[in-house]
mmCIF file of all heavy atoms in Angstrom:
data_model
loop_
_atom_site.group_PDB
_atom_site.id
_atom_site.type_symbol
_atom_site.label_atom_id
_atom_site.label_comp_id
_atom_site.label_asym_id
_atom_site.label_seq_id
_atom_site.Cartn_x
_atom_site.Cartn_y
_atom_site.Cartn_z
ATOM 1 N N ARG J 178 59.400 -39.830 -0.652
ATOM 2 C CA ARG J 178 60.031 -39.621 -1.970
ATOM 3 C C ARG J 178 60.317 -38.106 -2.267
ATOM 4 O O ARG J 178 60.960 -37.829 -3.265
ATOM 5 C CB ARG J 178 59.126 -40.207 -3.037
ATOM 6 C CG ARG J 178 58.913 -41.644 -2.812
ATOM 7 C CD ARG J 178 58.127 -42.325 -3.848
ATOM 8 N NE ARG J 178 58.953 -42.548 -5.063
ATOM 9 C CZ ARG J 178 58.529 -43.300 -6.055
ATOM 10 N NH1 ARG J 178 57.304 -43.798 -6.010
ATOM 11 N NH2 ARG J 178 59.313 -43.509 -7.051
ATOM 12 N N TRP J 216 57.213 -24.311 -11.217
ATOM 13 C CA TRP J 216 56.428 -25.022 -12.246
ATOM 14 C C TRP J 216 54.988 -24.622 -12.301
ATOM 15 O O TRP J 216 54.335 -24.594 -13.332
ATOM 16 C CB TRP J 216 56.656 -26.559 -11.978
ATOM 17 C CG TRP J 216 55.752 -27.443 -12.803
ATOM 18 C CD1 TRP J 216 55.299 -27.149 -14.100
ATOM 19 C CD2 TRP J 216 55.174 -28.631 -12.412
ATOM 20 N NE1 TRP J 216 54.552 -28.224 -14.522
ATOM 21 C CE2 TRP J 216 54.430 -29.183 -13.490
ATOM 22 C CE3 TRP J 216 55.322 -29.471 -11.237
ATOM 23 C CZ2 TRP J 216 53.804 -30.379 -13.458
ATOM 24 C CZ3 TRP J 216 54.691 -30.693 -11.211
ATOM 25 C CH2 TRP J 216 53.868 -31.118 -12.349
ATOM 26 P P U V 72 56.749 -36.617 -4.752
ATOM 27 O OP1 U V 72 57.388 -37.908 -4.574
ATOM 28 O OP2 U V 72 56.867 -35.490 -3.779
ATOM 29 O "O5'" U V 72 57.059 -35.999 -6.194
ATOM 30 C "C5'" U V 72 58.121 -35.023 -6.378
ATOM 31 C "C4'" U V 72 58.882 -35.407 -7.571
ATOM 32 O "O4'" U V 72 59.505 -36.733 -7.325
ATOM 33 C "C3'" U V 72 58.031 -35.529 -8.857
ATOM 34 O "O3'" U V 72 57.848 -34.383 -9.573
ATOM 35 C "C2'" U V 72 58.802 -36.605 -9.621
ATOM 36 O "O2'" U V 72 59.727 -36.086 -10.584
ATOM 37 C "C1'" U V 72 59.599 -37.369 -8.569
ATOM 38 N N1 U V 72 59.208 -38.826 -8.472
ATOM 39 C C2 U V 72 59.571 -39.575 -9.474
ATOM 40 O O2 U V 72 60.124 -39.188 -10.475
ATOM 41 N N3 U V 72 59.174 -40.928 -9.317
ATOM 42 C C4 U V 72 58.537 -41.503 -8.216
ATOM 43 O O4 U V 72 58.251 -42.679 -8.249
ATOM 44 C C5 U V 72 58.227 -40.525 -7.218
ATOM 45 C C6 U V 72 58.508 -39.242 -7.336
ATOM 46 P P C V 73 58.692 -33.229 -10.020
ATOM 47 O OP1 C V 73 60.084 -33.792 -10.033
ATOM 48 O OP2 C V 73 58.311 -32.072 -9.193
ATOM 49 O "O5'" C V 73 58.305 -32.958 -11.515
ATOM 50 C "C5'" C V 73 59.023 -31.959 -12.272
ATOM 51 C "C4'" C V 73 59.127 -32.501 -13.682
ATOM 52 O "O4'" C V 73 59.881 -33.729 -13.769
ATOM 53 C "C3'" C V 73 57.753 -32.869 -14.383
ATOM 54 O "O3'" C V 73 57.043 -31.704 -14.717
ATOM 55 C "C2'" C V 73 58.273 -33.639 -15.551
ATOM 56 O "O2'" C V 73 58.806 -32.784 -16.532
ATOM 57 C "C1'" C V 73 59.395 -34.451 -14.889
ATOM 58 N N1 C V 73 59.010 -35.765 -14.518
ATOM 59 C C2 C V 73 59.097 -36.701 -15.572
ATOM 60 O O2 C V 73 59.453 -36.449 -16.659
ATOM 61 N N3 C V 73 58.698 -38.033 -15.224
ATOM 62 C C4 C V 73 58.246 -38.316 -13.944
ATOM 63 N N4 C V 73 57.916 -39.594 -13.748
ATOM 64 C C5 C V 73 58.211 -37.325 -13.017
ATOM 65 C C6 C V 73 58.601 -36.086 -13.245
ATOM 66 P P C V 74 55.509 -31.819 -15.071
ATOM 67 O OP1 C V 74 55.187 -30.566 -15.780
ATOM 68 O OP2 C V 74 54.871 -32.195 -13.832
ATOM 69 O "O5'" C V 74 55.322 -33.028 -16.125
ATOM 70 C "C5'" C V 74 55.182 -32.812 -17.526
ATOM 71 C "C4'" C V 74 55.243 -34.053 -18.234
ATOM 72 O "O4'" C V 74 55.819 -35.019 -17.368
ATOM 73 C "C3'" C V 74 53.882 -34.648 -18.721
ATOM 74 O "O3'" C V 74 53.778 -34.589 -20.077
ATOM 75 C "C2'" C V 74 54.020 -36.143 -18.430
ATOM 76 O "O2'" C V 74 54.106 -36.909 -19.499
ATOM 77 C "C1'" C V 74 55.345 -36.281 -17.672
ATOM 78 N N1 C V 74 55.180 -37.091 -16.493
ATOM 79 C C2 C V 74 55.236 -38.452 -16.553
ATOM 80 O O2 C V 74 55.445 -38.966 -17.636
ATOM 81 N N3 C V 74 55.127 -39.194 -15.378
ATOM 82 C C4 C V 74 55.040 -38.624 -14.242
ATOM 83 N N4 C V 74 54.884 -39.394 -13.141
ATOM 84 C C5 C V 74 54.877 -37.251 -14.095
ATOM 85 C C6 C V 74 54.948 -36.436 -15.154
#
Side-chain angles (χ1 to χ4, degrees):
Chain J
R178 304 184 79 171
W216 172 30

